[in-house]
Amino acid sequence: MNPEPKSKHSELPLVAVITGDIINSQAIKSEIDWNSELQRLLSDFGNSPKDWQVYRGDSFQLVCYQPENALRIALKLKAGLKQHKELDVRMAIGIGSIEHHREQVLQSSGEAFVNSGRKFDSLKKQTLALKSPWQEFDESINLLINLALLTIDNWPETSAEVVLARLEHPEATQKDIAALLSIPQSRVSERLSRAGYGPIMDAEEYYRERIKERLSL
């Protein structure tokens, strides 16, 4: 069996590109300013327009320079938007090289952008999927993502809020999270359990370790 390629451009650094959009944005009738919420979340991961941009009103693209962090970032975006009852987001993670990094991310190009865009265009009912240079890797990771989405896509606002707080404050105790959100500590444990946080983060860790292995080849 021939070894899978690192990249079409192995001499270039590999990155992850996340392409996404707000689901049913035109149907949202509440007073939620989801555009500001989306930009607030994206600003944690770089500067606009070089690292991320929002375009066509409800779509966005983000470059993640450490591909092993891409799934965690996608989970943060999911949790952040799903804190609001009417909001959700659909995303595709593309892994590969970046050939031309322009001052505006939407003008940048490379394998990662192609993989992200093609995977995004192929999404149907899925709200998160990945495409990399390694087919076998994609099959195993997308299987895990699909299983995780059975829970993630049904997060209520309260679960999403606690998951986001946990992701943003990984060293915090449940007591700290409870104080941050002004809820009883028992609610933190209950909501994390209901959100499937433990198994979902096991899947995120599996992705992280497997991508590091690929990057080290």
Side-chain angles (χ1 to χ4, degrees):
M1 181 181 294
N2 294 327
E4 294 176 346
K6 286 184 181 179
S7 167
K8 293 177 182 177
H9 310 280
S10 58
E11 73 279 8
L12 298 174
L14 267 65
V15 301
V17 171
I18 300 176
T19 302
D21 71 0
I22 303 297
I23 295 174
N24 297 324
S25 60
Q26 302 305 313
I28 296 173
K29 299 178 181 179
S30 72
E31 296 301 315
I32 295 171
D33 184 356
W34 52 261
N35 192 288
S36 294
E37 181 73 3
L38 175 61
Q39 294 195 44
R40 182 190 70 79
L41 291 164
L42 290 171
S43 66
D44 287 341
F45 311 118
N47 299 312
S48 181
K50 190 175 181 66
D51 303 319
W52 61 266
Q53 279 185 278
V54 176
Y55 61 101
R56 290 196 315 228
D58 60 358
S59 300
F60 64 91
Q61 196 159 66
L62 164 72
V63 178
C64 175
Y65 302 101
Q66 296 178 299
E68 64 270 24
N69 293 334
L71 184 54
R72 181 177 287 260
I73 289 173
L75 291 172
K76 284 184 180 180
L77 292 170
K78 267 279 191 184
L81 289 165
K82 286 182 73 66
Q83 288 181 104
H84 306 284
K85 185 176 182 180
E86 297 180 65
L87 291 183
D88 201 350
V89 59
R90 172 175 41 237
M91 292 171 285
I93 300 170
I95 296 173
S97 62
I98 180 169
E99 296 174 52
H100 302 289
H101 196 188
R102 310 297 189 190
E103 287 305 311
Q104 295 188 43
V105 70
L106 293 177
Q107 296 176 355
S108 298
S109 61
E111 181 185 27
F113 292 91
V114 172
N115 284 342
S116 184
R118 287 180 177 172
K119 193 63 184 179
F120 185 79
D121 289 342
S122 73
L123 292 177
K124 295 179 181 179
K125 294 183 178 181
Q126 291 171 281
T127 61
L128 180 61
L130 174 144
K131 181 174 175 57
S132 77
W134 315 295
Q135 183 177 352
E136 185 177 338
F137 174 82
D138 291 0
E139 289 173 356
S140 61
I141 297 303
N142 281 319
L143 176 60
L144 286 179
I145 290 175
N146 285 339
L147 291 172
L149 287 175
L150 294 174
T151 301
I152 294 170
D153 284 343
N154 292 297
W155 278 345
E157 309 93 277
T158 52
S159 291
E161 179 185 51
V162 173
V163 169
L164 180 65
R166 196 73 181 84
L167 289 171
E168 290 185 329
H169 305 279
E171 304 302 322
T173 65
Q174 289 194 5
K175 183 178 180 180
D176 295 332
I177 298 296
L180 179 68
L181 300 178
S182 300
I183 60 176
Q185 185 175 337
S186 60
R187 293 285 179 86
V188 175
S189 177
E190 174 187 314
R191 292 175 185 179
L192 286 173
S193 177
R194 187 183 307 139
Y197 182 81
I200 288 169
M201 295 314 295
D202 287 344
E204 190 274 338
E205 182 64 23
Y206 179 85
Y207 161 82
R208 181 178 295 274
E209 292 304 317
R210 299 295 81 75
I211 194 71
K212 283 182 177 179
E213 289 176 0
R214 294 287 178 174
L215 294 176
S216 68
L217 293 176

